[in-house]
Amino acid sequence: MTGTSYEGRLFIDGEFREAKSGKRYDVINPADESIVGSAADAGPEDVYDAVTAARRVADETSWGTDHKFRRHCLEQFQAALRSDVDGFRKLVTAEAGLGTALIGSHVDAMIDGMDFWNDLTTSFPWEEDLGSFEFLGMPSDRRVCYEPHGVVGAITPWNAPFMTAIWKVTHAMATGNTVVLKSAPDTPLTAAKMAQVMAEATDTPAGVFNAISSEDKAIAGDAMTGDPRVDLFHFTGSPGVGQRIQERAALGIRKVVLELGGKSGNILLPDADLDMACGLSVTMCMANSGQGCALPTRMIVHADIYDEVLQRLEATIGVLPFGDPTEPTTVVGPIIRAEQLERIEGLVNRARDAGARVVCGGKRADFGGKGFWYEPTLLADVDENAEIAQNEVFGPVLIVIRYDGNDDEAVRIANNTRYGLSAYVQSRDEERAWRVAHRLRAGTVNINNSFYLSPDAPFSGWGISGVGSEHGVAGFREYLRIKTIASPTK
């Protein structure tokens, strides 16, 4: 790869190749609609070949049992990623529109986080002795063994193409699985660049890691989920697609781990530190143009501070740096594609018609007639049961719900959602915040200026926000089967 010419071929069984159909499609920069590059358009036959390669390595080699060698390959991968970190930063900004102000948390921090997984590859207790137990007159020693599932089908979203891919690929490899990575149609080049690094800078055997791109997510996705040779599906994306994956995985009783959408409640108790709470909430909500699943997009504010909070939010959102994602000061950049822009626009327009008050924003923006832009938007007086309060927007839109009661009322409103990915609590009284946090139905809760995301902390979705855990030892074990072996007590 030289200059701005990006690798876009499929990576199957250790080799780059075009799709068997010969088809390609353009990858569009959401900021100016320029062509970033092109990617191979995989069909079912290409997915079949990728799974075949992954299956062969899982079944016929020592990859799953040679923990030291896997760690060696992962450490090579990490070192090579670090050496090309600037290239990954620029690519993610180009194809996903992710601002350079945030790019370090999506790329640099994720490479650093590999340390935890690399270490677990050899430090995890792969076998544990339970001692002797007598049953039916037979004293037996028992040993618990952890073994890889085999082939992992990893499916990633467009809003965090490096972050989610590096998690799934390295976690699958660390646990001894092989992997077929299907990237989102909008952001396939990041996965192809990862494959290039893997091929050129590591001793990873051919077939351990395979990367597939496809313009139509359903064609390649259905081919993967319909292949009985895939043992585990690890998906990040929308609840609708997650449900379809779980339904298809039921054929053959295959395991799924799903990290899905969110409508995270952000409770501002009446004693909240408003300087901190309002500034932090806006920054978190608007990060990546609001295109994140765990962002605090649903603010629940006590009546005593409601008007002051709105004033502070309006003053902050109204001056957010908005525009070119390559500018280091930009907070809000473009929307990924025209269809998503139309969806955001429809949700806000219907909310306005239903009685919500548009305090600022609320319409498309124009930057030279190119790209997909929506103004940072604040909606006040939103009913807790309104469409926009119950559905994920995935755009730079913060809604505010007023409550008049005690903490019980705040908790009730926060829990009035089908989602349960994350939640937030703002209070000067930490014990009070902890009491509220324990009552929130969400996989993660963030108190004041804190955030859960770290390699060693597991997170999971409640409700329609997911199944299973990611990160931490709990997330590591999701990729493993448990086997107990008994032998006569010596």
Side-chain angles (χ1 to χ4, degrees), residues 8 49 53 113 230 433 444 446:
D49 289 348
V230 181
T444 62
N446 310 283

Side-chain angles (χ1 to χ4, degrees), residues 66 86 116 146 199 233 238 283 315 317 347 366 442 452 469:
D66 194 340
D86 189 56
F116 179 77
Y146 295 91
F233 296 101
S238 70
T283 301
I317 293 174
L347 282 164
D366 183 10
Y452 70 90
S469 298

Side-chain angles (χ1 to χ4, degrees), residues 302-313:
H302 193 273
D304 289 352
I305 57 173
Y306 185 79
D307 291 338
E308 183 178 356
V309 166
L310 288 182
Q311 290 173 3
R312 288 170 177 265
L313 296 177

Side-chain angles (χ1 to χ4, degrees), residues 423-435:
Y424 300 73
V425 184
Q426 310 291 332
S427 172
R428 294 179 187 271
D429 183 340
E430 189 167 326
E431 290 186 5
R432 182 182 188 183
W434 273 91
R435 289 194 298 270

